[in-house]
Amino acid sequence: MKSVGIIGTAKNTGKTTTLSALLRSLKNRKIAVTGIGYDGEEIDNITMLPKPRLYFEKGIIVATAAKCILNAEVEYKILKKTSIPTPLGNVFLVEITKPGLVVIAGPNRVSHLKELMKLIAGLGIGLLLVDGSLNRISPMYLLDELIFTTGGSKNTDIKILTDEMVTVEKIFSLPSAAISPDSVSSISFVSGSDFIPCDLATFIDDDDLGILKKCIPDRCEKIIIPLFFSEYALTGLVQFLKSRGSSVAVNEIVLLSPVHLLLSSDFLRLDSLLRLLSNSGIKFSYVFTPRLKAITINPFFPKLYNYHFVAGYLDKDEFLKSMKGKLSIDVFNVKERFDFDF
């Protein structure tokens, strides 16, 4: 089963519109849909502007919380009531028998997404779509491909939006590590064929960085950091290794996934880290390497006018030209018809 996640970089950047376009283009295929956490309000609770909702055709498999499906505007057949919890009840796997609107509320934890993906694959489904956003994407490193959505609601400066997506593309272009996922459970140092663990549960601040520096053995080619970390600590580590030069032979830092690197800081600081890395002789690699499939852009943004929000728009042609001029992957405007090839 192939799995694809749609990640919104902010509210109103076109995530739901992108997912809706996918559902339209894939309506003749057997697919399943779930989400990370909860999304799907009819009215944006900040701007009070209407939001698009997800419309499901007959035959689509939906994995959502019990309260969402029991109150949905569709007819369905329950395939399985799982034990996967959400704040809105356990996740139900259902097949849509009469089209309509459904709110998606899925698992938040990595272990629960793994369990759900296994259940869906067992139904013979060929493609799973997963709805998410940047502040709750941590489990999405398990997926095969990711689509990012960005737009005027994140920033009205087209250059800044383009530079952010250039950073995202750089992050996802880093290589896969020659390390099995089963062999990494804690921060470790690779010396020849030996894995030497470091007694650190976090890698966030100066204290963590100080402990790690003292733990690095004399012979060490790789440092594995298979947990959440801060860009601050990671930058400090790269600077330390660079300053030591040939006295420390580390040439690779292995992270769990590009998703974890994205979650460690904002786009600007991550771009600075990548620039530092390119001049250090050290490379980042990943245990899990989901592919960056495409970027979708949304010219719309909520514009404050006379103490309330109205619809505003960036120049769609300039926006698309800027993105396509800097990115090597596909870029689509959510306000125009587009199709993905899966």
Side-chain angles (χ1 to χ4, degrees):
M1 180 183 72
K2 188 172 187 177
S3 53
V4 179
I6 300 89
I7 297 171
T9 55
K11 292 176 74 69
N12 300 302
T13 56
K15 174 171 60 69
T16 304
T17 306
T18 299
L19 184 50
S20 296
L22 285 173
L23 292 173
R24 286 194 302 271
S25 65
L26 297 166
K27 63 182 179 181
N28 295 321
R29 292 181 57 177
K30 195 72 173 176
I31 64 172
V33 181
T34 192
I36 303 298
Y38 169 74
D39 200 1
E41 62 265 38
E42 293 182 64
I43 301 295
D44 188 289
N45 56 21
I46 296 175
T47 67
M48 302 309 293
L49 294 174
K51 295 188 67 176
R53 301 191 69 196
L54 288 174
Y55 181 86
F56 293 99
E57 296 283 358
K58 179 181 178 181
I60 292 178
I61 306 300
V62 176
T64 190
K67 288 184 180 179
C68 295
I69 195 62
L70 294 175
N71 294 298
E73 301 169 14
V74 293
E75 293 182 9
Y76 55 89
K77 175 174 68 177
I78 295 177
L79 303 178
K80 185 173 181 61
K81 297 179 180 181
T82 80
S83 58
I84 299 169
T86 81
L88 298 173
N90 288 356
V91 172
F92 281 17
L93 268 171
V94 305
E95 180 177 355
I96 303 302
T97 57
K98 184 178 179 181
L101 299 170
V102 181
V103 172
I104 297 296
N108 278 308
R109 298 178 59 179
V110 171
S111 59
H112 292 155
L113 181 59
K114 280 184 181 179
E115 181 183 349
L116 185 59
M117 289 173 68
K118 185 176 181 180
L119 290 172
I120 292 172
L123 297 174
I125 302 299
L127 178 65
L128 169 65
L129 302 178
V130 182
D131 185 345
S133 60
L134 196 60
N135 64 350
R136 47 185 170 88
I137 66 169
S138 57
M140 297 180 81
Y141 73 86
L142 298 172
L143 307 181
D144 298 313
E145 295 182 344
L146 297 174
I147 298 166
F148 278 74
T149 72
T150 191
S153 69
K154 188 173 193 305
N155 199 303
T156 55
D157 188 320
I158 290 174
K159 182 182 183 304
I160 290 175
L161 292 173
T162 302
D163 289 345
E164 288 177 349
M165 290 302 101
V166 168
T167 299
V168 169
E169 187 174 48
K170 287 179 184 176
I171 286 171
F172 277 84
S173 69
L174 300 177
S176 175
I179 293 175
S180 166
D182 297 330
S183 65
V184 291
S185 57
S186 62
I187 293 180
S188 303
F189 307 104
V190 179
S191 178
S193 59
D194 295 330
F195 283 69
I196 304 166
C198 177
D199 188 19
L200 263 178
T202 61
F203 190 57
I204 296 172
D205 55 23
D206 285 323
D207 289 340
D208 294 337
L209 179 59
I211 293 171
L212 188 140
K213 287 178 183 178
K214 294 177 181 177
C215 289
I216 299 176
D218 293 335
R219 290 187 58 225
C220 176
E221 299 88 43
K222 299 179 183 179
I223 300 176
I224 305 173
I225 306 176
L227 41 73
F228 287 101
F229 53 85
S230 72
E231 170 272 332
Y232 174 82
L234 200 57
T235 296
L237 176 60
V238 173
Q239 290 172 333
F240 169 73
L241 296 174
K242 183 181 178 183
S243 69
R244 295 288 297 273
S246 59
S247 63
V248 175
V250 176
N251 56 32
E252 185 175 351
I253 297 173
V254 181
L255 309 175
L256 199 57
S257 78
V259 168
H260 291 74
L261 185 52
L262 268 177
L263 289 171
S264 69
S265 190
D266 59 57
F267 291 113
L268 182 62
R269 292 185 65 87
L270 287 174
D271 184 62
S272 297
L273 172 58
L274 293 176
R275 291 176 189 275
L276 171 66
L277 193 70
S278 67
N279 296 320
S280 69
I282 302 164
K283 70 175 183 179
F284 286 167
S285 62
Y286 305 121
V287 178
F288 293 88
T289 52
R291 174 175 170 254
L292 183 61
K293 172 73 174 176
I295 303 291
T296 64
I297 62 170
N298 186 8
F300 161 84
F301 64 96
K303 182 178 180 180
L304 190 60
Y305 177 77
N306 282 349
Y307 304 103
H308 68 281
F309 287 95
V310 297
Y313 294 91
L314 301 179
D315 185 311
K316 65 176 184 178
D317 296 326
E318 181 187 349
F319 196 2
L320 196 60
K321 181 180 178 181
S322 177
M323 286 285 184
K324 287 189 171 183
K326 292 287 188 72
L327 297 167
S328 61
I329 58 171
D330 290 331
V331 183
F332 303 95
N333 181 352
V334 297
K335 294 298 182 181
E336 299 172 353
R337 182 171 178 82
F338 62 92
D339 294 307
F340 289 101
D341 178 24
F342 289 109

